[in-house]
């Protein structure tokens, strides 16, 4: 059995592996939707720490992407987003508390799990490339490839492209280097670049102190907020959460950590996400989940124990408690191009889990799910893949 906690360069590097997913959505939901920075970073930090302490291995914490993407794109109110967090908490608590999630996970074909992982990995890589090209939704909203750098172009090239190319090359060179872990080098290097060429937005307002998140900072959502959130956010998110954050995540955890992942059950993951979303609802943070993509990211960059959870969780928690709403000034130092590199390598790590699919029928399901995900979304891909896998199994379909 491996040690539960290690605190070395690899664990620190691995703890930073998924910030390419976490930070852009967190920043966008603060700036566009008005969520509380203190509540956001507090809930993320607590969820990381408690997950690490309970599960005893590296456990990811991610935004609920369907909710986050739609909320950002349509500039939803904070009350509507928090209503969706409460609803997801209720749904997940029911599914986990009754243990309905266990038979769902048990009877989900492996091809469907691999389809979720390949689709999620592909989406992460695509998003990473957009960050490097300066074409992600967040960058378009800010109308800049590197919103927090003073230098936007080097000749005809956006700065994010150069940062992404250099960061990608460094990552390839250092990917297996234990003395200079790739994740740690490019994140610290990116922050150094931010210090030298950054706009230093928010630095003039930095005021260290002791800040605690407000309880229900936007008041209790109205009935109309819950009704809207149910149909626009919670119901579209639920299949993706079950497929990616529960089933695919538990499968990948078993693959990476073996017997050490015995606490990472379908039921435990569902209940821990329910509790995290109740916390986010109370303090004004964003809906949170676990996720196979996040686990692949942490593992790819060196995380092997729950020490990585305590490192990154403490970072977010300390930012919330001692910097409050001014914590964004620190976050802004990491260039978009660096976040893009992290996403590309994390996505490739997750997508490569498909290599154990040997049967033609299984590969058909996996590729069908990928196609549907790219054309529509992962939730639809999961449901269609599930149905097709069972139809193929019962010989009602032939490929």
């Amino acid at each position: 059995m491996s040690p539960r906690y290690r605190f070395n360069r690899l664990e620190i590097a691995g703890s930073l592996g998924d910030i390419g997913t976490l930070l852009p959505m967190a920043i966008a939901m603060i700036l566009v939707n008005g969520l509380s920075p203190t509540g956001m970073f507090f809930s993320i930090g607590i969820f990381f720490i408690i997950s690490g302490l309970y599960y005893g291995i590296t456990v990811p914490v991610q935004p609920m992407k369907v909710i986050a993407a739609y909320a950002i794109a349509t500039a939803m109110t904070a009350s509507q987003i928090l209503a969706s967090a409460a609803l997801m908490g209720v749904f997940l608590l029911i599914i986990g508390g009754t243990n309905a999630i266990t038979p769902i996970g048990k009877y989900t074909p492996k091809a469907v799990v691999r389809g979720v992982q390949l689709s999620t990995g592909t989406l992460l890589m695509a998003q990473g490339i957009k960050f490097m090209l300066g074409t992600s939704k967040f960058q378009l909203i800010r109308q800049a490839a590197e919103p927090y750098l003073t230098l936007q172009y080097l000749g005809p090239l956006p700065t994010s492209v150069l940062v992404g190319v250099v960061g990608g090359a460094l990552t390839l060179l250092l990917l297996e280097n234990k003395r200079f872990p790739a994740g740690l080098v490019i994140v610290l290097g990116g922050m150094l670049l931010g210090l030298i060429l950054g706009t230093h937005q928010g630095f003039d307002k930095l005021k260290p102190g002791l800040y605690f998140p407000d309880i229900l900072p936007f008041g209790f959502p109205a009935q109309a907020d819950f009704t809207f959130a149910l149909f626009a956010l919670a119901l579209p998110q639920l299949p993706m959460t079950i497929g990616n954050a529960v089933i695919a995540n538990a499968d990948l955890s078993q693959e990476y950590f073996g017997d050490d992942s015995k606490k990472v059950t379908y039921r435990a993951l569902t209940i821990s996400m329910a509790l995290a979303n109740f916390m986010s609802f109370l303090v004004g943070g964003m809906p949170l989940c676990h996720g196979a993509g996040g686990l692949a990211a942490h593992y790819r960059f060196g995380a092997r124990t729950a020490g990585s959870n305590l490192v990154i969780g403490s970072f977010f928690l300390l930012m919330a408690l001692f910097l409050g709403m001014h914590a964004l000034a620190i976050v802004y130092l990491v260039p978009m191009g660096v976040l893009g590199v992290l996403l590309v390598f994390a996505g490739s790590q997750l997508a490569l889990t498909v290599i154990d699919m040997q049967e033609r029928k299984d590969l058909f399901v996996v590729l069908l799910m990928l196609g549907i995900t790219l054309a529509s979304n992962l939730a639809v891909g999961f449901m269609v893949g599930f149905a097709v896998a069972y139809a193929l199994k019962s010989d009602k379909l032939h490929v």
Side-chain angles (χ1 to χ4, degrees):
M1 180 176 289
S2 303
R4 286 174 63 92
Y5 307 104
R6 279 199 296 256
F7 300 96
N8 54 32
R9 285 171 292 192
L10 285 173
E11 293 296 327
I12 296 171
S15 75
L16 301 170
D18 196 37
I19 62 173
T21 301
L22 193 58
L23 289 185
M25 287 191 169
I27 295 170
M29 294 185 84
I30 290 169
L31 298 179
V32 177
N33 306 108
L35 294 183
S36 164
T38 308
M40 176 83 75
F41 295 132
F42 179 86
S43 56
I44 291 171
I46 291 292
F47 194 23
F48 262 121
I49 291 170
I50 292 179
S51 295
L53 292 174
Y54 176 75
Y55 292 109
I57 58 172
T58 301
V59 180
V61 170
Q62 294 190 307
M64 288 192 169
K65 298 181 189 66
V66 173
I67 291 176
Y70 191 52
I72 294 166
T74 59
M76 289 183 182
T77 67
S79 290
Q80 291 168 336
I81 296 170
L82 296 183
S84 73
L87 290 169
M88 288 302 299
V90 171
F91 291 155
L92 292 170
L93 191 61
I94 292 171
I95 294 171
T98 61
N99 206 25
I101 188 62
T102 297
I104 294 173
K106 182 179 179 181
Y107 292 106
T108 297
K110 189 172 184 178
V112 175
V113 177
R114 291 292 184 255
V116 169
Q117 292 168 336
L118 175 63
S119 299
T120 304
T122 302
L123 291 175
L124 290 176
M125 287 187 285
Q127 185 67 19
I129 291 170
K130 287 181 179 179
F131 278 141
M132 288 188 279
L133 294 177
T135 59
S136 73
K137 283 185 179 180
F138 179 72
Q139 288 157 302
L140 293 176
I141 289 171
R142 305 295 292 177
Q143 297 183 334
E146 287 290 354
Y148 306 109
L149 293 182
T150 55
L151 185 64
Q152 292 299 311
Y153 288 91
L154 285 174
L157 285 179
T159 308
S160 59
V161 173
L162 184 61
V163 172
V165 170
V166 174
L170 276 174
T171 302
L172 282 172
L173 288 171
L174 300 174
L175 204 53
E176 305 301 330
N177 193 310
K178 294 184 178 181
R179 186 176 181 185
F180 300 105
L184 190 58
V185 170
I186 65 167
V187 171
L188 291 181
M191 294 184 76
L192 179 61
L193 181 65
L195 283 171
I196 297 170
L197 296 177
T199 61
H200 301 157
Q201 182 173 327
F203 270 39
D204 57 329
K205 297 179 181 178
L206 273 178
K207 186 179 178 182
L210 189 58
Y211 301 88
F212 291 98
D214 295 326
I215 302 300
L216 295 176
F218 310 104
F220 199 86
Q223 183 177 342
D225 293 326
F226 280 105
T227 302
F228 179 82
L230 174 65
F231 293 101
L233 300 175
L235 291 179
Q237 174 69 54
L238 192 58
M240 182 174 177
T241 298
I242 291 173
N244 181 50
V246 180
I247 299 172
N249 183 48
D251 175 88
L252 198 63
S253 184
Q254 173 65 32
E255 181 177 327
Y256 286 163
F257 301 109
D259 291 340
D260 290 337
S261 68
K262 60 185 178 183
K263 284 190 173 182
V264 186
T265 63
Y266 301 137
R267 188 179 190 188
L269 289 171
T270 309
I271 292 175
S272 66
M273 288 189 294
L275 297 177
N277 280 284
F278 288 138
M279 176 174 58
S280 288
F281 169 72
L282 287 175
V283 300
M286 64 182 173
L288 295 170
C289 65
H290 301 298
L295 179 56
H298 292 303
Y299 193 88
R300 170 71 278 180
F301 287 100
R304 295 295 184 273
T305 74
S308 62
N309 273 66
L310 301 191
V311 168
I312 192 66
S314 298
F315 173 74
F316 279 111
L317 185 58
L318 291 174
M319 281 206 307
L321 292 177
F322 294 112
L323 296 178
M325 64 179 296
H326 309 298
L328 282 174
I330 306 300
V331 173
Y332 291 154
L333 292 175
V334 185
M336 294 289 113
V338 168
L339 300 180
V341 172
L342 294 175
L343 283 179
V344 167
F345 281 89
S348 64
Q349 172 81 9
L350 183 59
L352 284 173
T353 58
V354 76
I355 60 176
D356 64 355
M357 291 287 96
Q358 303 295 328
E359 296 291 330
R360 183 185 180 93
K361 291 181 179 180
D362 292 337
L363 286 171
F364 174 77
V365 172
V366 170
L367 295 176
L368 176 65
M369 290 178 65
L370 175 61
I372 293 172
T373 298
L374 295 177
S376 179
N377 61 63
L378 183 56
V380 175
F382 173 70
M383 291 185 288
V384 172
F386 195 98
V388 170
Y390 270 96
L392 288 171
K393 189 176 181 180
S394 62
D395 291 326
K396 292 181 179 178
L397 287 177
H398 300 278
V399 293

